[in-house]
Amino acid sequence: MDLRLSGQVAVVTGASRGIGLAIVSTLLAEGARVVAASRRRSPELEALAGPGLVHVATDLMEPSAPGLVIARAAEEFGGLDILVNNAGGPPPGVTLPRSSFFEAGDDDWRAVFEFNLFSVVRAVRAAIPLMLRRGGGAIVNVSSANGRQPAPMNVDYSAAKAGMNNLTKALSEEFGPQGIRVNTVSPGPVRTPWWTDQGGAADIIAAMAGSDRDSVLDRLAPEMMRLSTGRLVDPQEVADAVVLLASPRSASTTGADFVVDGGLLKTV
């Protein structure tokens, strides 16, 4: 199916690995031109190099950074059609998962909200005027199933994602009549470096459970979270949902939340 993205200009944050890398790759395959923002390049992102891809090395914790990334899209490609706010998770200096509310102090909360919510606010603030000049656009915010399912684990992160969900709904109401669609995709546990890196979530949970990282990734984590599929989500599965929402094929979808969670959420 042609997603009608050829020639469109997209910004993707958190683009060097995991879900973000899969989103960039998929957008390029559909003919879009992409500004990929991340703290550093990765070999996998380098392998996608070409005239339709520009990398911006940036720290989205800096208040000016999201706006500068958006401005780069206008400089390189003349405007902006798609914004994917994918960057999220633990900011530098913060370790997740946490198992209790009392494990996070004020500085931890501020850092998690700065990275997972305020950077999104700033990116959207910069993107909407560019989209309005082109008659509309699509914003996809990568949230989390945790934003819909409160739990003692990672409460600060979950609260930030719940805020993102609320923000998305509000933006869809205000700017839908002006041609800008705003949606969320809420992944469950995705097999990304956040899980698989040395010292990442798999190692932390293995230490808590007296197990090993491979057992956590392949069996224990899916069992603990009661995933209906019995496995962690693949990054490409999330990217496919994101790119579909970014596409004009989803022209009547706005203010929606697409859940890609392996059956984590059990509520109606």
Side-chain angles (χ1 to χ4, degrees), residues 115-136:
F115 188 40
N116 289 276
L117 182 58
F118 299 153
S119 69
V120 173
V121 171
R122 292 168 183 140
V124 170
R125 187 183 291 138
I128 285 178
L130 292 181
M131 291 180 174
L132 291 176
R133 288 176 204 162
R134 291 162 83 95

Side-chain angles (χ1 to χ4, degrees), residues 25 99 122 142 205 244 268:
S25 176
S99 59
R122 292 168 183 140
V142 179
I205 293 173
L244 178 61
V268 176

Side-chain angles (χ1 to χ4, degrees), residues 29-41:
E30 291 293 330
R33 295 169 291 173
V34 181
V35 173
S38 61
R39 285 189 179 86
R40 61 189 68 85
R41 296 174 186 266

Side-chain angles (χ1 to χ4, degrees), residues 116-225:
N116 289 276
L117 182 58
F118 299 153
S119 69
V120 173
V121 171
R122 292 168 183 140
V124 170
R125 187 183 291 138
I128 285 178
L130 292 181
M131 291 180 174
L132 291 176
R133 288 176 204 162
R134 291 162 83 95
I139 298 172
V140 184
N141 296 323
V142 179
S143 183
S144 170
N146 287 19
R148 295 176 53 173
Q149 182 165 297
M153 183 170 280
N154 301 330
V155 63
D156 48 347
Y157 171 78
S158 299
K161 292 300 189 180
M164 173 186 277
N165 294 347
N166 191 292
L167 169 69
T168 299
K169 281 283 192 181
L171 292 169
S172 72
E173 282 291 302
E174 181 171 358
F175 296 102
Q178 299 173 69
I180 298 176
R181 298 181 299 104
V182 193
N183 295 286
T184 54
V185 171
S186 290
V190 183
R191 196 168 181 129
T192 64
W194 189 86
W195 278 88
T196 60
D197 274 352
Q198 201 71 30
D203 286 338
I204 293 170
I205 293 173
M208 292 177 179
S211 183
D212 61 87
R213 66 194 324 271
D214 288 338
S215 296
V216 168
L217 289 168
D218 296 335
R219 180 184 56 80
L220 188 57
E223 287 177 358
M224 288 170 57
M225 290 179 278

